[in-house]
Coordinates of all heavy atoms in Angstrom, one line a residue:
M25 N 1.1 -17.1 -7.5 CA 0.4 -16.0 -6.9 C 0.5 -14.8 -7.7 O 1.6 -14.3 -8.1 CB 1.1 -15.9 -5.5 CG 0.5 -14.9 -4.7 SD 1.1 -14.9 -3.0 CE 0.6 -16.5 -2.5
P26 N -0.7 -14.2 -7.9 CA -0.7 -12.9 -8.8 C -0.3 -11.7 -7.9 O -0.8 -11.4 -7.0 CB -2.2 -12.8 -9.3 CG -2.9 -13.6 -8.2 CD -2.0 -14.7 -7.6
A27 N 0.7 -11.1 -8.5 CA 1.2 -9.9 -7.9 C 0.5 -8.7 -8.6 O -0.1 -8.9 -9.6 CB 2.7 -9.7 -8.2
M28 N 0.7 -7.4 -7.9 CA 0.0 -6.4 -8.5 C 0.8 -5.1 -8.1 O 1.5 -5.2 -7.2 CB -1.4 -6.1 -8.1 CG -1.6 -5.9 -6.7 SD -3.3 -5.7 -6.2 CE -3.7 -4.2 -7.1
L29 N 0.6 -4.1 -9.1 CA 1.0 -2.8 -8.6 C -0.2 -1.8 -8.3 O -1.1 -2.1 -8.7 CB 1.8 -2.1 -9.8 CG 3.1 -2.8 -10.2 CD1 3.6 -2.2 -11.5 CD2 4.1 -2.9 -9.1
F30 N 0.1 -0.9 -7.4 CA -1.0 0.1 -7.1 C -0.3 1.4 -7.0 O 0.9 1.4 -6.6 CB -1.8 -0.3 -5.8 CG -1.0 -0.5 -4.6 CD1 -1.0 0.5 -3.6 CD2 -0.3 -1.7 -4.4 CE1 -0.3 0.3 -2.4 CE2 0.4 -1.8 -3.2 CZ 0.3 -0.9 -2.2
H31 N -1.0 2.5 -7.4 CA -0.4 3.8 -7.7 C -1.1 4.7 -6.6 O -2.4 4.7 -6.5 CB -0.7 4.3 -9.1 CG 0.0 3.4 -10.1 ND1 1.2 3.6 -10.4 CD2 -0.5 2.2 -10.6 CE1 1.6 2.6 -11.4 NE2 0.6 1.7 -11.5
L32 N -0.4 5.6 -6.0 CA -0.7 6.4 -4.9 C -0.5 8.0 -5.2 O 0.5 8.2 -5.8 CB -0.3 6.1 -3.5 CG -0.3 4.7 -3.2 CD1 0.5 4.6 -1.8 CD2 -1.7 4.3 -2.9
R33 N -1.3 8.9 -4.7 CA -1.0 10.2 -4.8 C -1.0 10.7 -3.3 O -1.9 10.6 -2.6 CB -2.0 11.0 -5.6 CG -1.7 12.5 -5.6 CD -2.5 13.3 -6.5 NE -2.2 13.0 -7.9 CZ -3.2 12.6 -8.8 NH1 -4.5 12.8 -8.4 NH2 -2.9 12.3 -10.0
W34 N 0.1 11.4 -2.9 CA 0.2 11.9 -1.5 C -0.3 13.3 -1.4 O -0.6 13.9 -2.5 CB 1.7 11.8 -1.2 CG 2.2 10.5 -1.2 CD1 2.8 9.8 -2.2 CD2 2.2 9.5 0.0 NE1 3.2 8.5 -1.8 CE2 2.7 8.3 -0.4 CE3 1.6 9.6 1.2 CZ2 2.8 7.2 0.4 CZ3 1.7 8.5 2.0 CH2 2.3 7.2 1.5
P35 N -0.4 13.8 -0.2 CA -0.9 15.1 0.0 C -0.3 16.3 -0.7 O -0.8 17.3 -1.0 CB -0.8 15.3 1.5 CG -0.9 13.9 2.0 CD -0.1 13.1 1.0
D36 N 1.1 16.1 -1.0 CA 1.7 17.2 -1.8 C 1.7 17.0 -3.3 O 2.3 17.8 -4.0 CB 3.2 17.2 -1.4 CG 4.1 15.9 -1.6 OD1 3.5 14.9 -2.2 OD2 5.2 15.8 -1.4
G37 N 0.9 16.0 -3.7 CA 0.7 15.7 -5.2 C 1.7 14.8 -5.8 O 1.6 14.4 -6.9
S38 N 2.7 14.3 -5.0 CA 3.7 13.4 -5.5 C 2.9 12.1 -5.7 O 2.0 11.7 -4.9 CB 5.0 13.3 -4.6 OG 4.6 12.9 -3.3
E39 N 3.5 11.2 -6.5 CA 2.9 9.9 -6.8 C 4.0 8.8 -6.5 O 5.1 9.0 -6.7 CB 2.4 9.8 -8.2 CG 1.2 10.8 -8.4 CD 0.5 10.7 -9.8 OE1 0.9 9.9 -10.5 OE2 -0.3 11.6 -10.1
T40 N 3.4 7.7 -6.2 CA 4.3 6.4 -5.8 C 3.6 5.3 -6.5 O 2.4 5.0 -6.4 CB 4.3 6.3 -4.4 OG1 4.9 7.5 -3.8 CG2 5.3 5.0 -4.0
R41 N 4.5 4.4 -7.1 CA 4.1 3.2 -7.7 C 4.4 2.1 -6.6 O 5.6 2.1 -6.2 CB 4.7 2.8 -9.0 CG 4.3 1.5 -9.6 CD 4.9 1.4 -10.9 NE 6.2 0.9 -10.6 CZ 7.0 0.4 -11.6 NH1 6.6 0.3 -12.8 NH2 8.2 -0.1 -11.3
C42 N 3.6 1.2 -6.1 CA 3.7 0.3 -5.0 C 3.6 -1.0 -5.5 O 2.7 -1.4 -6.4 CB 2.9 0.6 -3.9 SG 2.9 2.4 -3.3
Y43 N 4.3 -2.0 -4.9 CA 4.2 -3.4 -5.2 C 3.5 -4.2 -4.0 O 3.7 -4.0 -2.9 CB 5.6 -4.0 -5.5 CG 5.6 -5.5 -5.5 CD1 5.4 -6.1 -6.8 CD2 5.9 -6.2 -4.4 CE1 5.3 -7.5 -6.8 CE2 6.0 -7.7 -4.6 CZ 5.7 -8.2 -5.8 OH 5.6 -9.5 -5.8
S44 N 2.7 -5.2 -4.6 CA 2.1 -6.3 -3.6 C 2.3 -7.6 -4.3 O 1.8 -7.7 -5.5 CB 0.7 -5.9 -3.3 OG 0.2 -7.0 -2.6
P45 N 2.7 -8.5 -3.4 CA 2.7 -9.9 -4.0 C 1.4 -10.6 -4.2 O 1.3 -11.8 -4.6 CB 3.8 -10.6 -3.0 CG 3.4 -9.9 -1.7 CD 3.2 -8.5 -2.1
S46 N 0.4 -9.9 -3.8 CA -1.0 -10.5 -3.8 C -1.9 -9.5 -4.2 O -1.9 -8.3 -4.0 CB -1.2 -11.1 -2.3 OG -2.7 -11.3 -2.1
L47 N -3.1 -10.0 -4.6 CA -4.2 -9.1 -4.9 C -5.0 -8.6 -3.7 O -6.0 -7.9 -3.9 CB -5.1 -9.7 -5.9 CG -4.6 -10.2 -7.2 CD1 -5.6 -10.9 -8.1 CD2 -4.0 -9.1 -8.0
V48 N -4.6 -8.9 -2.6 CA -5.4 -8.6 -1.2 C -5.5 -7.0 -1.1 O -6.5 -6.6 -0.5 CB -4.6 -9.1 -0.1 CG1 -3.3 -8.5 0.2 CG2 -5.5 -9.0 1.2
I49 N -4.7 -6.2 -1.9 CA -4.8 -4.8 -1.8 C -6.2 -4.5 -2.3 O -6.7 -3.5 -1.8 CB -3.7 -4.2 -2.7 CG1 -2.3 -4.3 -2.1 CG2 -4.0 -2.6 -2.9 CD1 -2.1 -3.7 -0.8
K50 N -6.7 -5.2 -3.3 CA -8.1 -4.8 -3.7 C -9.2 -5.0 -2.8 O -10.2 -4.3 -2.8 CB -8.4 -5.9 -4.9 CG -7.7 -5.5 -6.2 CD -7.9 -6.5 -7.2 CE -7.9 -6.0 -8.5 NZ -8.4 -6.9 -9.5
D51 N -8.9 -5.8 -1.7 CA -9.9 -6.0 -0.6 C -9.8 -4.7 0.4 O -10.8 -4.5 1.3 CB -9.6 -7.2 0.3 CG -9.7 -8.3 -0.5 OD1 -10.5 -8.4 -1.6 OD2 -9.2 -9.5 -0.1
Y52 N -8.9 -3.9 0.3 CA -8.7 -2.8 1.2 C -8.8 -1.4 0.6 O -9.1 -0.5 1.3 CB -7.2 -2.8 1.9 CG -7.1 -3.9 2.9 CD1 -6.9 -5.3 2.4 CD2 -7.4 -3.7 4.2 CE1 -7.0 -6.3 3.4 CE2 -7.4 -4.7 5.2 CZ -7.1 -6.0 4.7 OH -7.1 -7.0 5.7
F53 N -8.7 -1.3 -0.7 CA -8.8 0.1 -1.3 C -9.5 0.0 -2.7 O -9.7 -1.1 -3.2 CB -7.3 0.5 -1.7 CG -6.5 0.6 -0.4 CD1 -5.5 -0.3 -0.1 CD2 -6.6 1.8 0.5 CE1 -4.7 -0.3 1.0 CE2 -5.9 1.7 1.6 CZ -4.9 0.8 1.9
Q54 N -10.0 1.1 -3.1 CA -10.7 1.3 -4.3 C -10.0 2.4 -5.1 O -9.8 3.4 -4.6 CB -12.1 1.7 -4.1 CG -13.0 0.9 -3.2 CD -13.9 -0.1 -4.2 OE1 -14.2 0.3 -5.2 NE2 -14.3 -1.1 -3.6
P55 N -9.7 2.2 -6.4 CA -9.2 3.2 -7.3 C -10.0 4.4 -7.2 O -11.3 4.3 -7.3 CB -9.1 2.5 -8.6 CG -9.1 1.0 -8.4 CD -9.9 0.9 -7.1
G56 N -9.5 5.6 -7.3 CA -10.1 6.7 -7.2 C -10.6 7.3 -5.8 O -11.0 8.4 -5.7
Q57 N -10.5 6.4 -4.8 CA -10.8 6.9 -3.5 C -9.6 7.5 -2.7 O -8.5 7.2 -2.9 CB -11.3 5.6 -2.7 CG -12.5 5.0 -3.2 CD -13.8 5.9 -2.9 OE1 -13.9 6.6 -2.0 NE2 -14.8 5.8 -3.9
T58 N -10.1 8.3 -2.0 CA -9.1 9.1 -1.0 C -9.3 8.6 0.4 O -10.5 8.6 0.8 CB -9.3 10.6 -1.2 OG1 -9.1 11.0 -2.6 CG2 -8.3 11.4 -0.4
Y59 N -8.2 8.4 1.2 CA -8.3 8.0 2.5 C -7.6 8.9 3.4 O -6.4 9.3 3.1 CB -7.7 6.5 2.6 CG -8.3 5.6 1.7 CD1 -7.9 5.5 0.3 CD2 -9.4 4.8 2.1 CE1 -8.7 4.5 -0.5 CE2 -10.0 3.9 1.3 CZ -9.7 3.8 0.0 OH -10.3 2.9 -1.0
P60 N -8.0 9.1 4.7 CA -7.3 9.8 5.6 C -5.9 9.1 5.9 O -5.9 7.9 6.0 CB -8.0 9.9 6.8 CG -9.5 9.7 6.3 CD -9.3 8.8 5.1
L61 N -4.8 9.8 6.0 CA -3.5 9.2 6.0 C -3.5 8.1 7.2 O -3.0 7.0 6.9 CB -2.4 10.2 6.4 CG -1.0 9.8 6.5 CD1 -0.5 9.0 5.2 CD2 -0.1 10.9 6.8
P62 N -4.0 8.3 8.4 CA -3.8 7.3 9.4 C -4.7 6.1 9.1 O -4.3 4.8 9.2 CB -4.5 7.9 10.7 CG -4.4 9.3 10.4 CD -4.4 9.6 9.0
Q63 N -5.9 6.2 8.4 CA -6.5 5.0 7.9 C -5.8 4.3 6.7 O -5.7 3.1 6.8 CB -8.0 5.5 7.5 CG -8.8 4.4 6.9 CD -10.1 4.9 6.2 OE1 -10.5 6.1 6.3 NE2 -10.8 3.9 5.5
F64 N -5.3 5.1 5.8 CA -4.6 4.5 4.7 C -3.4 3.6 5.2 O -3.2 2.5 4.8 CB -4.1 5.5 3.7 CG -3.2 4.9 2.8 CD1 -3.6 4.3 1.7 CD2 -1.7 5.0 2.9 CE1 -2.7 3.6 0.8 CE2 -0.9 4.5 1.9 CZ -1.4 3.7 0.9
M65 N -2.7 4.1 6.2 CA -1.4 3.5 6.8 C -2.0 2.2 7.4 O -1.3 1.2 7.4 CB -0.6 4.4 7.6 CG 0.1 5.5 6.8 SD 0.9 4.8 5.4 CE 2.2 3.8 6.3
A66 N -3.0 2.3 8.3 CA -3.4 1.1 9.0 C -3.8 0.0 8.0 O -3.5 -1.1 8.2 CB -4.6 1.5 10.0
Q67 N -4.6 0.4 7.0 CA -5.1 -0.6 6.0 C -3.9 -1.2 5.2 O -3.9 -2.3 4.9 CB -6.2 0.1 5.0 CG -7.4 0.2 5.8 CD -8.5 1.0 5.0 OE1 -9.3 1.7 5.5 NE2 -8.5 0.8 3.6
V68 N -3.1 -0.3 4.7 CA -1.9 -0.9 3.8 C -1.0 -1.7 4.7 O -0.4 -2.7 4.3 CB -1.2 0.4 3.3 CG1 -0.1 0.9 4.1 CG2 -0.6 -0.1 2.0
R69 N -0.8 -1.4 6.0 CA 0.1 -2.3 6.9 C -0.6 -3.6 6.9 O 0.0 -4.7 6.8 CB 0.1 -1.7 8.4 CG 1.2 -0.6 8.5 CD 1.1 -0.3 9.9 NE 1.8 1.1 10.1 CZ 1.0 2.3 10.4 NH1 -0.3 2.2 10.6 NH2 1.7 3.4 10.3
E70 N -1.9 -3.7 7.3 CA -2.7 -5.0 7.2 C -2.6 -5.7 6.0 O -2.4 -6.9 6.0 CB -4.1 -4.7 7.7 CG -4.8 -6.0 8.0 CD -6.1 -5.8 8.6 OE1 -6.5 -4.8 9.2 OE2 -7.0 -6.7 8.4
A71 N -2.9 -5.0 4.8 CA -2.9 -5.6 3.6 C -1.5 -6.2 3.1 O -1.4 -7.3 2.7 CB -3.4 -4.8 2.4
L72 N -0.5 -5.5 3.4 CA 0.9 -6.0 2.9 C 1.4 -7.0 3.9 O 2.1 -8.0 3.4 CB 1.9 -4.8 2.8 CG 1.6 -3.9 1.6 CD1 2.6 -2.8 1.7 CD2 1.9 -4.6 0.3
N73 N 1.1 -7.0 5.2 CA 1.5 -8.1 6.0 C 0.6 -9.4 5.6 O 1.2 -10.5 5.6 CB 1.1 -7.8 7.5 CG 2.2 -7.0 8.0 OD1 3.4 -7.4 8.1 ND2 2.0 -5.8 8.6
I74 N -0.6 -9.3 5.2 CA -1.4 -10.5 4.8 C -0.8 -11.0 3.5 O -0.5 -12.2 3.3 CB -2.9 -10.1 4.5 CG1 -3.6 -9.9 5.9 CG2 -3.6 -11.2 3.6 CD1 -5.0 -9.2 5.7
A75 N -0.4 -10.1 2.6 CA 0.2 -10.5 1.3 C 1.5 -11.3 1.7 O 1.8 -12.3 1.0 CB 0.4 -9.3 0.4
S76 N 2.4 -10.7 2.5 CA 3.6 -11.5 2.8 C 3.3 -12.7 3.4 O 4.1 -13.8 3.2 CB 4.3 -10.5 3.9 OG 5.5 -11.2 4.2
E77 N 2.2 -12.9 4.3 CA 2.0 -14.2 4.9 C 1.4 -15.2 3.9 O 1.7 -16.4 4.0 CB 1.0 -13.9 6.0 CG 1.6 -13.4 7.3 CD 2.9 -14.1 7.7 OE1 2.8 -15.4 7.9 OE2 3.9 -13.5 7.9
R78 N 0.8 -14.7 2.8 CA 0.3 -15.6 1.8 C 1.5 -16.1 1.0 O 1.5 -17.4 0.6 CB -0.6 -14.9 0.8 CG -1.9 -14.6 1.4 CD -2.8 -13.9 0.4 NE -4.2 -13.7 0.9 CZ -5.1 -13.0 0.3 NH1 -5.0 -12.7 -0.9 NH2 -6.3 -12.9 0.9
V79 N 2.6 -15.4 0.8 CA 3.8 -15.9 0.2 C 4.4 -16.8 1.2 O 5.0 -17.9 0.7 CB 4.8 -14.7 -0.1 CG1 6.1 -15.2 -0.5 CG2 4.2 -13.7 -1.2
R80 N 4.4 -16.6 2.4 CA 5.0 -17.5 3.5 C 4.3 -18.9 3.3 O 4.8 -20.1 3.4 CB 5.0 -17.1 4.9 CG 5.6 -18.0 5.8 CD 5.4 -17.6 7.4 NE 5.7 -16.2 7.6 CZ 7.0 -15.7 7.8 NH1 7.9 -16.6 7.9 NH2 7.1 -14.6 8.1
A81 N 2.9 -18.8 3.4 CA 2.2 -20.1 3.3 C 2.4 -20.9 2.1 O 2.5 -22.1 2.0 CB 0.7 -19.7 3.4
K82 N 2.7 -20.2 0.8 CA 2.9 -20.9 -0.4 C 4.4 -21.3 -0.5 O 4.6 -22.4 -1.0 CB 2.5 -19.9 -1.5 CG 2.6 -20.6 -2.9 CD 2.0 -19.8 -3.9 CE 2.0 -20.8 -5.2 NZ 1.2 -20.1 -6.3
F83 N 5.3 -20.5 -0.1 CA 6.7 -20.9 -0.5 C 7.6 -21.1 0.7 O 8.8 -21.4 0.7 CB 7.4 -19.7 -1.1 CG 6.6 -19.3 -2.5 CD1 5.9 -18.2 -2.7 CD2 6.9 -20.3 -3.6 CE1 5.1 -17.9 -3.9 CE2 6.2 -20.0 -4.9 CZ 5.4 -18.9 -5.0
G84 N 7.1 -20.9 2.0 CA 7.8 -21.1 3.2 C 8.7 -20.0 3.6 O 9.4 -20.1 4.7
F85 N 8.5 -18.8 3.1 CA 9.1 -17.7 3.6 C 8.4 -16.5 3.3 O 7.6 -16.3 2.4 CB 10.5 -17.4 2.9 CG 10.6 -17.6 1.5 CD1 10.3 -16.4 0.7 CD2 10.8 -18.8 0.8 CE1 10.4 -16.6 -0.7 CE2 10.8 -18.8 -0.5 CZ 10.6 -17.7 -1.3
A86 N 8.5 -15.3 4.1 CA 7.7 -14.1 4.0 C 8.3 -13.4 2.7 O 9.4 -13.6 2.3 CB 7.9 -13.3 5.2
C87 N 7.5 -12.5 2.2 CA 7.9 -11.6 1.1 C 8.7 -10.4 1.5 O 8.1 -9.6 2.0 CB 6.7 -11.3 0.3 SG 7.1 -10.4 -1.2
S88 N 10.0 -10.4 1.3 CA 10.8 -9.3 1.7 C 10.4 -8.0 0.8 O 10.4 -6.9 1.3 CB 12.2 -9.5 1.4 OG 12.5 -9.8 0.2
Q89 N 9.9 -8.2 -0.5 CA 9.5 -7.1 -1.2 C 8.3 -6.3 -0.6 O 8.2 -5.1 -0.6 CB 9.2 -7.5 -2.7 CG 10.4 -7.6 -3.4 CD 10.0 -8.0 -5.0 OE1 9.4 -9.1 -5.2 NE2 10.2 -7.0 -5.8
A90 N 7.3 -7.1 -0.1 CA 6.2 -6.5 0.5 C 6.6 -5.8 1.8 O 6.1 -4.7 2.0 CB 5.2 -7.5 0.9
M91 N 7.6 -6.3 2.6 CA 8.0 -5.6 3.8 C 8.8 -4.4 3.4 O 8.7 -3.3 4.1 CB 8.8 -6.6 4.7 CG 7.9 -7.7 5.2 SD 6.5 -7.2 6.3 CE 5.0 -6.9 5.0
D92 N 9.6 -4.5 2.3 CA 10.3 -3.3 1.8 C 9.3 -2.2 1.4 O 9.6 -1.0 1.6 CB 11.3 -3.7 0.6 CG 12.5 -4.4 1.2 OD1 12.7 -4.6 2.3 OD2 13.1 -5.2 0.3
Q93 N 8.4 -2.6 0.6 CA 7.3 -1.7 0.3 C 6.7 -0.9 1.4 O 6.5 0.3 1.4 CB 6.3 -2.3 -0.7 CG 5.2 -1.3 -1.2 CD 5.9 -0.4 -2.2 OE1 6.3 -0.6 -3.3 NE2 6.0 0.9 -1.6
L94 N 6.3 -1.8 2.5 CA 5.7 -1.1 3.6 C 6.7 -0.2 4.3 O 6.3 0.9 4.7 CB 5.2 -2.3 4.6 CG 4.6 -1.8 5.8 CD1 3.4 -0.9 5.6 CD2 4.2 -2.9 6.7
A95 N 7.8 -0.5 4.4 CA 8.9 0.4 5.0 C 9.1 1.7 4.2 O 9.1 2.7 4.8 CB 10.3 -0.3 5.1
E96 N 8.9 1.6 2.9 CA 9.0 2.8 2.1 C 7.8 3.7 2.3 O 7.9 4.9 2.5 CB 9.1 2.5 0.5 CG 9.1 3.7 -0.3 CD 9.0 3.4 -1.7 OE1 9.1 2.2 -2.1 OE2 9.0 4.4 -2.6
L97 N 6.6 3.1 2.5 CA 5.3 3.8 2.6 C 5.4 4.4 4.0 O 4.9 5.6 4.1 CB 4.2 3.0 2.4 CG 3.9 2.4 1.0 CD1 2.7 1.4 0.9 CD2 3.6 3.6 0.2
E98 N 5.9 3.8 5.0 CA 6.0 4.3 6.3 C 6.9 5.6 6.3 O 6.5 6.6 6.8 CB 6.6 3.3 7.3 CG 5.7 2.1 7.5 CD 4.7 2.3 8.5 OE1 4.4 3.3 9.1 OE2 3.9 1.3 8.9
M99 N 8.0 5.4 5.6 CA 8.9 6.7 5.5 C 8.2 7.8 4.8 O 8.3 9.0 5.2 CB 10.2 6.3 4.7 CG 11.2 7.3 4.7 SD 12.6 6.8 3.6 CE 11.9 6.8 2.0
L100 N 7.6 7.6 3.6 CA 6.9 8.6 2.9 C 5.7 9.2 3.7 O 5.6 10.5 3.7 CB 6.3 8.0 1.5 CG 7.4 7.6 0.6 CD1 6.7 6.8 -0.6 CD2 8.1 8.9 0.0
A101 N 5.0 8.4 4.4 CA 3.9 8.9 5.2 C 4.3 10.0 6.4 O 3.6 10.8 6.7 CB 3.1 7.7 5.8
Q102 N 5.5 9.6 6.9 CA 6.1 10.5 8.0 C 6.1 12.0 7.6 O 6.0 12.8 8.5 CB 7.4 10.0 8.4 CG 7.5 8.8 9.2 CD 8.8 8.3 9.7 OE1 9.7 8.9 9.2 NE2 8.8 7.3 10.5
R103 N 6.3 12.3 6.2 CA 6.4 13.6 5.8 C 5.1 14.4 6.1 O 5.2 15.6 6.1 CB 6.7 13.7 4.3 CG 8.0 13.1 3.9 CD 8.1 13.1 2.3 NE 7.0 12.5 1.7 CZ 6.9 12.6 0.4 NH1 7.6 13.4 -0.3 NH2 5.8 12.0 -0.2
F104 N 3.9 13.7 6.3 CA 2.7 14.3 6.4 C 2.0 14.1 7.7 O 1.0 14.5 8.0 CB 1.8 13.8 5.3 CG 2.3 13.9 3.9 CD1 2.8 12.7 3.3 CD2 2.5 15.1 3.3 CE1 3.4 12.7 2.0 CE2 3.2 15.2 2.0 CZ 3.6 14.1 1.4
D105 N 2.9 13.6 8.7 CA 2.3 13.4 10.1 C 1.8 14.7 10.7 O 0.8 14.6 11.5 CB 3.3 12.8 11.0 CG 3.5 11.3 10.7 OD1 2.6 10.6 10.0 OD2 4.4 10.7 11.1
S106 N 2.3 15.8 10.4 CA 2.0 17.1 10.9 C 0.7 17.7 10.4 O 0.2 18.6 10.9 CB 3.3 18.0 11.0 OG 3.5 18.4 9.7
L107 N 0.3 17.1 9.3 CA -0.9 17.7 8.7 C -2.1 17.0 9.2 O -2.3 15.8 9.1 CB -0.8 17.5 7.1 CG 0.3 18.2 6.3 CD1 0.3 17.8 4.9 CD2 0.2 19.7 6.6
D108 N -3.0 17.7 9.7 CA -4.2 17.1 10.4 C -5.1 16.4 9.5 O -5.8 15.4 9.7 CB -5.0 18.2 11.2 CG -4.4 18.7 12.4 OD1 -3.5 18.0 12.9 OD2 -4.6 19.8 12.8
S109 N -5.2 17.0 8.2 CA -6.1 16.5 7.2 C -5.5 15.8 6.0 O -6.1 15.6 5.0 CB -7.1 17.7 6.7 OG -6.3 18.7 6.0
A110 N -4.4 15.3 6.2 CA -3.6 14.6 5.2 C -4.4 13.4 4.7 O -4.9 12.6 5.4 CB -2.2 14.2 5.7
Q111 N -4.4 13.4 3.4 CA -5.0 12.2 2.7 C -4.3 11.7 1.6 O -3.4 12.3 1.0 CB -6.4 12.7 2.1 CG -7.4 13.1 3.2 CD -8.9 13.4 2.7 OE1 -9.0 13.6 1.4 NE2 -9.7 13.3 3.6
V112 N -4.4 10.4 1.4 CA -3.7 9.6 0.3 C -4.9 9.0 -0.6 O -5.8 8.4 -0.3 CB -3.0 8.4 0.8 CG1 -2.4 7.7 -0.2 CG2 -2.0 8.9 1.9
Q113 N -4.6 9.3 -2.0 CA -5.5 8.8 -2.9 C -5.0 7.6 -3.6 O -3.7 7.6 -4.0 CB -5.8 9.9 -4.0 CG -6.8 9.5 -5.1 CD -7.1 10.6 -6.1 OE1 -6.3 11.6 -6.4 NE2 -8.2 10.4 -6.8
V114 N -5.8 6.6 -3.9 CA -5.3 5.4 -4.5 C -5.8 5.6 -6.0 O -7.0 5.7 -6.3 CB -6.1 4.0 -4.0 CG1 -5.7 2.9 -4.9 CG2 -5.6 4.0 -2.6
L115 N -4.8 5.8 -6.9 CA -5.1 6.2 -8.3 C -5.6 5.0 -9.1 O -6.6 5.1 -9.8 CB -3.8 6.8 -8.8 CG -3.3 8.1 -8.2 CD1 -2.0 8.5 -8.8 CD2 -4.5 9.2 -8.4
S116 N -4.8 3.9 -9.1 CA -5.1 2.7 -9.9 C -4.4 1.5 -9.5 O -3.6 1.5 -8.6 CB -4.7 3.1 -11.4 OG -3.3 3.2 -11.4
F117 N -4.8 0.4 -10.1 CA -4.2 -0.9 -10.0 C -3.8 -1.4 -11.3 O -4.4 -1.3 -12.2 CB -5.3 -2.0 -9.4 CG -6.0 -1.7 -8.0 CD1 -7.2 -2.0 -7.7 CD2 -5.2 -1.0 -7.0 CE1 -7.7 -1.8 -6.5 CE2 -5.8 -0.8 -5.7 CZ -7.0 -1.3 -5.6
D118 N -2.7 -2.1 -11.2 CA -2.1 -2.8 -12.5 C -1.9 -4.2 -11.9 O -1.2 -4.5 -11.0 CB -0.8 -2.3 -12.9 CG -0.9 -0.8 -13.3 OD1 -2.0 -0.3 -13.7 OD2 0.2 -0.1 -13.3
E119 N -2.5 -5.1 -12.7 CA -2.3 -6.6 -12.5 C -1.4 -7.3 -13.4 O -1.5 -6.9 -14.6 CB -3.7 -7.3 -12.4 CG -4.5 -6.8 -11.3 CD -5.9 -7.6 -11.3 OE1 -5.8 -8.7 -11.4 OE2 -6.9 -6.9 -11.0

């Protein structure tokens, strides 16, 4: 199963390198695009859950790395909950 990294820029300009055990992230995001924070979080939750389930289907167990990545993103996103126009930019994909 091909894994990938994807790189994000948060509203404060900080950047995060993220892991997905599946290329499904490409179905939800485009490099260079900016997404409103609530939309980004809804899409990344769905994508990483699908990625984890793909691992379960292939190996018989969910991907803890995908769930750890989602937990980190949830924590990082909380910093910007009070900003009405917070956006997240998807910078790039590494396969």
Side-chain angles (χ1 to χ4, degrees):
M25 179 168 297
M28 67 177 292
L29 298 174
F30 56 106
H31 302 267
L32 307 175
R33 180 173 294 132
W34 295 96
D36 65 356
S38 63
E39 295 181 8
T40 303
R41 184 178 77 168
C42 305
Y43 171 81
S44 172
S46 164
L47 300 180
V48 70
I49 295 295
K50 291 176 145 189
D51 295 340
Y52 287 81
F53 301 106
Q54 299 262 338
Q57 292 292 326
T58 301
Y59 301 87
L61 182 61
Q63 177 187 347
F64 172 79
M65 290 308 299
Q67 288 177 211
V68 81
R69 280 183 202 106
E70 186 172 336
L72 288 174
N73 277 301
I74 289 170
S76 181
E77 288 305 310
R78 287 182 178 178
V79 170
R80 183 188 310 277
K82 185 169 183 171
F83 299 108
F85 51 86
C87 180
S88 62
Q89 280 185 288
M91 295 299 90
D92 290 346
Q93 182 64 76
L94 181 55
E96 179 186 358
L97 292 173
E98 297 278 5
M99 183 186 68
L100 291 169
Q102 285 180 355
R103 298 180 302 168
F104 308 107
D105 280 346
S106 63
L107 300 176
D108 291 336
S109 59
Q111 297 192 337
V112 178
Q113 183 179 23
V114 176
L115 298 173
S116 62
F117 296 147
D118 296 337
E119 293 178 48

